């Protein structure tokens, strides 16, 4: 099923390029990319194959594959494992061809990348190679901090794919969504943004941080937890009282049955003496 669908898509792309008179060099790049995807069976979404598994198992697999890499990222130092697990579950796979520019210096950054396979190069505008990045390399994490600044974070370097490369990306939108459920991690990210952005030209007065809002949010959640705890205590007290009363009644009933068993001819209780008032004659 996947094979037929893939071949139909590839044939459609080929006809489109021929109809639009796409440059032969570009057509060659497309066909080489298709060959790479076909030979590596990457036309199948390996992540989607895991959807048949229950969510807990998918989390364990994703954690085993990426947790070590995420823990080495300076931005995520000392973050709670549950927070990192949620980030890992939102990674999206992307494939780049040789020569593809993944990041361009000066462009607005909206995601961070984790290199799964392949080789990347940090290059100048003229193409001079400054450094190479391999499997497990992480870059672009500063772009995730854009929600804490009044200006958009821009890329500080050009990064080009030297070979066919597979990268996992985490968008700033998904990052922000996860932070909404982890207020403590959010506070840490704000503090770390101050440290990391000191090494750049960003004016630290532009870092948006409202301690009062964070404190109010935390106080609200604490208040809700306290109310919930009080309700639970009241419920336990009511439940305990009911159990005690029912147990007492049950003991009394068992005592009556026990007396009847040992003394079947005698009533279990003393007959009540009924006095009738005499009517004067």
């Amino acid at each position: 099923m996947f094979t037929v669908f893939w071949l139909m898509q590839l044939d459609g792309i080929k006809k489109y390029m021929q109809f639009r008179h796409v440059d032969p060099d570009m057509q060659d790049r497309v066909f080489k990319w298709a060959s790479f995807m076909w030979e590596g069976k990457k036309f199948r979404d390996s992540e989607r194959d895991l959807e048949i598994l229950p969510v807990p198992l998918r989390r364990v697999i994703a954690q085993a594959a990426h947790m070590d890499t995420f823990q080495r990222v300076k931005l995520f130092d000392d973050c709670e494992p549950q927070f990192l697990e949620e980030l890992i579950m939102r990674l999206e796979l992307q494939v780049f061809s040789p020569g593809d520019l993944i990041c361009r210096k000066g462009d607005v950054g909206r995601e961070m990348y984790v290199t799964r396979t392949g080789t990347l190069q940090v290059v100048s505008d003229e193409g001079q190679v400054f450094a190479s990045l391999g499997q497990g390399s992480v870059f672009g994490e500063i772009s995730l901090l854009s929600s804490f600044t009044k200006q958009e974070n821009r890329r500080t370097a050009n990064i080009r794919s030297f070979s066919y490369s597979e990268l996992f990306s985490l968008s700033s939108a998904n990052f922000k969504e996860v932070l909404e459920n982890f207020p403590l991690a959010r506070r840490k990210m704000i503090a770390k943004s101050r440290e990391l952005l000191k090494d750049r030209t960003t004016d630290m007065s532009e870092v948006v941080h409202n301690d009062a809002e964070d404190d109010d949010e935390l106080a609200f959640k604490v208040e809700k937890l306290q109310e919930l705890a009080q309700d639970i205590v009241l419920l336990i007290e009511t439940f305990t009282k009911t159990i005690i009363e029912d147990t007492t009644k049950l003991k009394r009933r068992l005592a009556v049955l026990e007396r009847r068993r040992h003394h079947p001819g005698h009533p279990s209780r003393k007959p009540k003496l009924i006095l009738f008032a005499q009517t004067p004659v």
Side-chain angles (χ1 to χ4, degrees):
M1 183 65 179
F2 274 102
T3 302
V4 175
F5 180 70
W6 169 258
L7 292 177
M8 289 176 61
Q9 281 191 319
L10 187 59
D11 186 60
I13 294 173
K14 180 179 179 180
K15 291 179 179 179
Y16 176 87
M17 292 191 297
Q18 291 174 348
F19 178 76
R20 296 294 181 180
H21 304 290
V22 175
D23 182 83
D25 291 338
M26 179 58 67
Q27 292 190 38
D28 184 61
R29 287 188 60 186
V30 172
F31 293 142
K32 287 182 178 178
W33 172 85
S35 177
F36 167 77
M37 298 290 286
W38 177 264
E39 291 175 1
K41 299 189 182 301
K42 294 176 174 54
F43 58 91
R44 288 185 60 110
D45 189 345
S46 58
E47 303 302 319
R48 186 173 298 174
D49 291 339
L50 298 179
E51 290 183 358
I52 63 173
L53 299 176
V55 175
L57 283 181
R58 295 210 306 266
R59 285 183 178 273
V60 171
I61 293 175
Q63 181 179 350
H66 307 296
M67 182 62 75
D68 183 61
T69 299
F70 266 64
Q71 289 177 335
R72 293 199 303 267
V73 179
K74 185 177 180 181
L75 182 62
F76 302 139
D77 283 347
D78 303 325
C79 286
E80 50 197 309
Q82 294 81 0
F83 171 68
L84 297 182
E85 288 176 10
E86 291 298 325
L87 294 182
I88 290 173
M89 294 298 291
R90 285 167 172 76
L91 292 176
E92 298 179 359
L93 183 63
Q94 299 183 26
V95 179
F96 294 91
S97 301
D100 285 349
L101 201 58
I102 301 170
C103 295
R104 187 189 303 274
K105 184 178 180 180
D107 286 353
V108 176
R110 294 186 174 86
E111 60 277 308
M112 66 165 281
Y113 293 95
V114 179
T115 307
R116 182 185 185 185
T117 62
T119 301
L120 312 178
Q121 294 177 329
V122 182
V123 298
S124 66
D125 294 336
E126 294 76 24
Q128 180 183 358
V129 179
F130 295 132
S132 296
L133 306 175
Q135 182 179 4
S137 300
V138 179
F139 58 94
E141 63 271 25
I142 296 297
S143 63
L144 300 180
L145 304 177
S146 59
S147 58
F148 303 133
T149 61
K150 294 180 180 178
Q151 66 179 22
E152 295 178 309
N153 291 309
R154 297 186 177 274
R155 303 296 190 189
T156 59
N158 301 314
I159 298 183
R160 180 180 64 194
S161 179
F162 177 74
S163 62
Y164 286 103
S165 306
E166 296 177 290
L167 280 71
F168 284 107
S169 66
L170 175 66
S171 68
S172 57
N174 284 335
F175 180 70
K176 184 178 180 181
E177 179 183 352
V178 174
L179 281 179
E180 291 177 356
N181 298 319
F182 293 89
L184 295 180
R186 181 175 182 272
R187 293 171 68 91
K188 289 182 179 180
M189 291 300 104
I190 293 174
K192 290 178 181 296
S193 69
R194 290 177 170 177
E195 299 175 2
L196 293 174
L197 293 176
K198 283 181 182 179
D199 299 331
R200 307 179 67 191
T201 58
T202 304
D203 183 0
M204 290 313 300
S205 63
E206 293 181 344
V207 175
V208 179
H209 182 202
N210 192 329
D211 287 320
E213 291 183 358
D214 288 342
D215 292 341
D216 290 343
E217 180 183 1
L218 189 59
F220 175 77
K221 291 188 176 182
V222 170
E223 182 180 355
K224 288 296 182 182
L225 288 174
Q226 290 176 342
E227 292 177 358
L228 180 61
Q230 292 175 357
D231 292 340
I232 292 175
V233 170
L234 180 60
L235 182 62
I236 292 176
E237 290 177 350
T238 304
F239 184 67
T240 303
K241 182 179 179 181
T242 302
I243 290 178
I244 293 175
E245 292 176 353
D246 291 345
T247 302
T248 301
K249 292 179 181 179
L250 181 60
K251 288 181 178 179
R252 290 174 181 173
R253 181 61 179 168
L254 289 175
V256 171
L257 294 175
E258 187 70 15
R259 285 196 297 270
R260 288 180 179 179
R261 188 171 69 86
H262 291 293
H263 307 285
H266 299 278
S268 58
R269 295 181 182 178
K270 294 181 179 180
K272 294 182 179 179
L273 182 61
I274 302 177
L275 299 177
F276 295 95
Q278 295 183 355
T279 303
V281 181

